[in-house]
């Protein structure tokens, strides 16, 4: 069983930065892919970025490349999302998620953390 818990959300002005954290508990994440998704009010959930835990390969939504950076601390089982140059349209609930490498569906989700970017 995998448990995920996000933190670090809050209110920030446009142009500012935030770093989200996702604390994860499992026996090992070496066979997992972890990701960040977000969902704005009235919109569908969208993929933000993912990281292959073993090796650290990263993938980003094209629209967010250059502003967002995903990373992980393997020793502490924490995943991060550094968000820079934030825009009001980045306002959303951000979720971390995990899936086993061989599966396409994310089976484990955190409860979400709210990010609000004011103009």
């Amino acid at each position: 069983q995998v448990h995920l818990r996000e933190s670090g959300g809050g209110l920030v002005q446009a142009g500012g930065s935030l770093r989200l954290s996702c604390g994860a508990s499992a026996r090992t994440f070496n066979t997992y892919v972890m990701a960040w998704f977000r969902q704005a009010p009235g919109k569908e959930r969208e993929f933000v970025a993912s990281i292959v835990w073993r090796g650290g390969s990263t993938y980003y939504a094209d629209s967010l490349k250059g502003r967002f950076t995903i990373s992980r601390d393997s020793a502490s089982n924490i995943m991060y999302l550094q968000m820079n140059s934030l825009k009001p349209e980045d306002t959303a609930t951000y979720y971390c998620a995990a899936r086993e490498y061989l599966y396409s569906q994310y089976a484990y989700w955190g409860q979400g953390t709210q990010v609000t970017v004011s103009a």
Side-chain angles (χ1 to χ4, degrees):
Q1 188 70 8
V2 176
H3 296 282
L4 306 172
R5 185 176 183 89
E6 305 92 339
S7 61
L11 174 64
V12 63
Q13 289 187 332
S17 298
L18 276 177
R19 188 177 77 161
L20 305 183
S21 300
C22 175
S25 64
R27 286 198 302 173
T28 176
F29 281 102
N30 283 338
T31 60
Y32 281 81
V33 177
M34 296 187 69
W36 289 97
F37 289 80
R38 69 184 185 183
Q39 187 167 21
K43 295 187 176 181
E44 292 187 356
R45 185 172 59 200
E46 65 173 340
F47 170 79
V48 173
S50 65
I51 186 164
V52 179
W53 200 261
R54 184 175 183 176
S57 296
T58 58
Y59 305 90
Y60 294 91
D62 287 342
S63 61
L64 300 175
K65 285 180 183 177
R67 293 196 299 124
F68 288 15
T69 303
I70 190 171
S71 62
R72 88 254 189 265
D73 179 343
S74 297
S76 302
N77 278 359
I78 300 175
M79 177 176 66
Y80 300 101
L81 183 69
Q82 178 67 43
M83 305 184 294
N84 298 327
S85 302
L86 284 163
K87 305 175 182 180
E89 51 265 41
D90 295 318
T91 295
T93 301
Y94 285 70
Y95 299 90
C96 66
R99 64 174 173 89
E100 295 206 47
Y101 187 80
L102 294 179
Y103 295 93
S104 61
Q105 297 297 317
Y106 285 88
Y108 306 100
W109 294 83
Q111 84 287 353
T113 187
Q114 178 67 35
V115 172
T116 302
V117 184
S118 62

